[in-house]
Short mmCIF file of all heavy atoms in Angstrom, two decimals:
data_model
loop_
_atom_site.label_atom_id
_atom_site.label_comp_id
_atom_site.label_asym_id
_atom_site.label_seq_id
_atom_site.Cartn_x
_atom_site.Cartn_y
_atom_site.Cartn_z
N ASN A 50 -107.27 45.27 5.57
CA ASN A 50 -107.68 44.29 4.58
C ASN A 50 -106.94 44.39 3.21
O ASN A 50 -106.76 45.58 2.76
CB ASN A 50 -109.23 44.40 4.35
CG ASN A 50 -109.97 44.14 5.64
OD1 ASN A 50 -109.60 43.25 6.45
ND2 ASN A 50 -110.97 44.92 5.85
N TYR A 51 -106.57 43.31 2.63
CA TYR A 51 -105.98 43.30 1.35
C TYR A 51 -106.78 42.50 0.27
O TYR A 51 -107.32 41.38 0.70
CB TYR A 51 -104.55 42.68 1.50
CG TYR A 51 -103.59 43.54 2.31
CD1 TYR A 51 -103.54 43.32 3.75
CD2 TYR A 51 -102.80 44.47 1.71
CE1 TYR A 51 -102.77 44.09 4.46
CE2 TYR A 51 -101.94 45.25 2.49
CZ TYR A 51 -101.92 45.03 3.86
OH TYR A 51 -101.04 45.81 4.65
N TYR A 52 -106.75 42.96 -0.82
CA TYR A 52 -107.39 42.23 -1.91
C TYR A 52 -106.29 41.51 -2.63
O TYR A 52 -105.38 42.18 -3.23
CB TYR A 52 -108.19 43.25 -2.89
CG TYR A 52 -108.96 42.42 -3.91
CD1 TYR A 52 -110.19 42.02 -3.71
CD2 TYR A 52 -108.35 42.20 -5.25
CE1 TYR A 52 -110.97 41.33 -4.70
CE2 TYR A 52 -109.10 41.56 -6.13
CZ TYR A 52 -110.34 41.06 -5.94
OH TYR A 52 -111.05 40.43 -6.99
N LEU A 53 -106.32 40.19 -2.70
CA LEU A 53 -105.28 39.40 -3.36
C LEU A 53 -105.62 39.18 -4.80
O LEU A 53 -106.68 38.54 -5.16
CB LEU A 53 -105.14 38.03 -2.65
CG LEU A 53 -104.86 38.07 -1.13
CD1 LEU A 53 -104.75 36.69 -0.54
CD2 LEU A 53 -103.54 38.88 -0.90
N ASN A 54 -104.87 39.82 -5.67
CA ASN A 54 -105.08 39.74 -7.09
C ASN A 54 -103.94 39.08 -7.80
O ASN A 54 -102.88 39.69 -8.07
CB ASN A 54 -105.20 41.16 -7.61
CG ASN A 54 -105.51 41.19 -9.10
OD1 ASN A 54 -106.02 40.24 -9.57
ND2 ASN A 54 -105.37 42.38 -9.70
N ASP A 55 -104.08 37.68 -8.00
CA ASP A 55 -103.11 36.96 -8.78
C ASP A 55 -101.70 37.13 -8.34
O ASP A 55 -100.80 37.56 -9.01
CB ASP A 55 -103.15 37.41 -10.31
CG ASP A 55 -102.32 36.41 -11.17
OD1 ASP A 55 -102.11 35.33 -10.70
OD2 ASP A 55 -101.95 36.86 -12.28
N CYS A 56 -101.44 36.95 -7.04
CA CYS A 56 -100.13 37.21 -6.44
C CYS A 56 -99.86 36.21 -5.44
O CYS A 56 -99.55 36.44 -4.25
CB CYS A 56 -99.96 38.67 -5.90
SG CYS A 56 -101.26 39.10 -4.78
N SER A 57 -100.03 34.92 -5.82
CA SER A 57 -99.65 33.92 -4.87
C SER A 57 -98.24 33.96 -4.38
O SER A 57 -97.36 34.42 -5.20
CB SER A 57 -99.92 32.56 -5.47
OG SER A 57 -99.44 31.44 -4.65
N GLY A 58 -97.93 33.69 -3.12
CA GLY A 58 -96.58 33.76 -2.68
C GLY A 58 -96.33 34.99 -1.84
O GLY A 58 -95.36 35.16 -1.20
N VAL A 59 -97.29 36.00 -1.81
CA VAL A 59 -97.03 37.20 -1.09
C VAL A 59 -97.33 36.87 0.32
O VAL A 59 -98.21 36.10 0.77
CB VAL A 59 -98.03 38.25 -1.59
CG1 VAL A 59 -98.00 39.48 -0.64
CG2 VAL A 59 -97.73 38.68 -2.99
N GLN A 60 -96.44 37.37 1.22
CA GLN A 60 -96.52 37.20 2.71
C GLN A 60 -97.26 38.39 3.33
O GLN A 60 -96.78 39.53 3.08
CB GLN A 60 -95.15 36.97 3.26
CG GLN A 60 -94.40 35.82 2.66
CD GLN A 60 -92.99 35.72 3.17
OE1 GLN A 60 -92.74 36.18 4.19
NE2 GLN A 60 -92.17 35.09 2.39
N ILE A 61 -98.22 38.16 4.04
CA ILE A 61 -99.11 39.14 4.61
C ILE A 61 -99.24 39.09 6.09
O ILE A 61 -99.20 38.03 6.61
CB ILE A 61 -100.47 39.10 4.04
CG1 ILE A 61 -100.48 39.08 2.53
CG2 ILE A 61 -101.43 40.16 4.47
CD1 ILE A 61 -101.75 38.80 1.79
N GLY A 62 -99.22 40.23 6.78
CA GLY A 62 -99.47 40.22 8.16
C GLY A 62 -98.51 40.95 8.90
O GLY A 62 -97.51 41.45 8.44
N ASN A 63 -98.69 41.24 10.23
CA ASN A 63 -97.74 41.86 11.05
C ASN A 63 -97.34 40.92 12.14
O ASN A 63 -97.66 39.76 12.14
CB ASN A 63 -98.26 43.22 11.69
CG ASN A 63 -99.51 42.98 12.38
OD1 ASN A 63 -99.75 41.92 13.08
ND2 ASN A 63 -100.37 43.99 12.44
N GLN A 64 -96.57 41.38 13.17
CA GLN A 64 -95.95 40.54 14.10
C GLN A 64 -97.01 39.93 15.00
O GLN A 64 -96.69 38.88 15.72
CB GLN A 64 -94.97 41.31 15.06
CG GLN A 64 -95.63 42.50 15.74
CD GLN A 64 -94.62 43.39 16.38
OE1 GLN A 64 -93.50 43.56 15.78
NE2 GLN A 64 -94.87 44.02 17.48
N ASN A 65 -98.23 40.47 15.11
CA ASN A 65 -99.18 39.87 16.05
C ASN A 65 -100.23 39.05 15.23
O ASN A 65 -101.24 38.62 15.86
CB ASN A 65 -99.97 40.98 16.74
CG ASN A 65 -98.90 41.78 17.66
OD1 ASN A 65 -98.15 41.10 18.29
ND2 ASN A 65 -98.99 43.09 17.78
N GLN A 66 -100.12 38.96 13.95
CA GLN A 66 -101.17 38.36 13.21
C GLN A 66 -100.62 37.16 12.38
O GLN A 66 -99.44 37.23 12.02
CB GLN A 66 -101.82 39.37 12.26
CG GLN A 66 -102.54 40.51 13.01
CD GLN A 66 -102.94 41.59 12.12
OE1 GLN A 66 -102.40 41.83 11.11
NE2 GLN A 66 -104.06 42.24 12.45
N GLN A 67 -101.48 36.25 12.06
CA GLN A 67 -101.07 35.08 11.21
C GLN A 67 -102.17 35.02 10.18
O GLN A 67 -103.29 35.52 10.28
CB GLN A 67 -100.96 33.83 11.95
CG GLN A 67 -99.90 33.77 12.96
CD GLN A 67 -99.78 32.48 13.66
OE1 GLN A 67 -100.67 31.71 13.57
NE2 GLN A 67 -98.76 32.23 14.44
N VAL A 68 -101.82 34.38 9.07
CA VAL A 68 -102.78 34.40 7.86
C VAL A 68 -102.91 32.94 7.40
O VAL A 68 -101.96 32.16 7.41
CB VAL A 68 -102.28 35.33 6.75
CG1 VAL A 68 -100.97 34.78 6.19
CG2 VAL A 68 -103.29 35.43 5.65
N ALA A 69 -104.07 32.64 7.00
CA ALA A 69 -104.39 31.39 6.24
C ALA A 69 -104.93 31.74 4.90
O ALA A 69 -105.91 32.44 4.88
CB ALA A 69 -105.37 30.49 7.05
N VAL A 70 -104.40 31.25 3.84
CA VAL A 70 -104.83 31.71 2.56
C VAL A 70 -105.38 30.49 1.84
O VAL A 70 -104.75 29.44 1.71
CB VAL A 70 -103.70 32.30 1.71
CG1 VAL A 70 -104.09 32.75 0.37
CG2 VAL A 70 -103.01 33.44 2.47
#
Side-chain angles (χ1 to χ4, degrees):
N50 298 323
Y51 293 87
Y52 185 89
L53 303 178
N54 182 17
D55 190 22
C56 53
S57 176
V59 174
Q60 303 177 20
I61 306 174
N63 59 30
Q64 62 193 31
N65 296 318
Q66 296 172 331
Q67 295 180 349
V68 66
V70 183

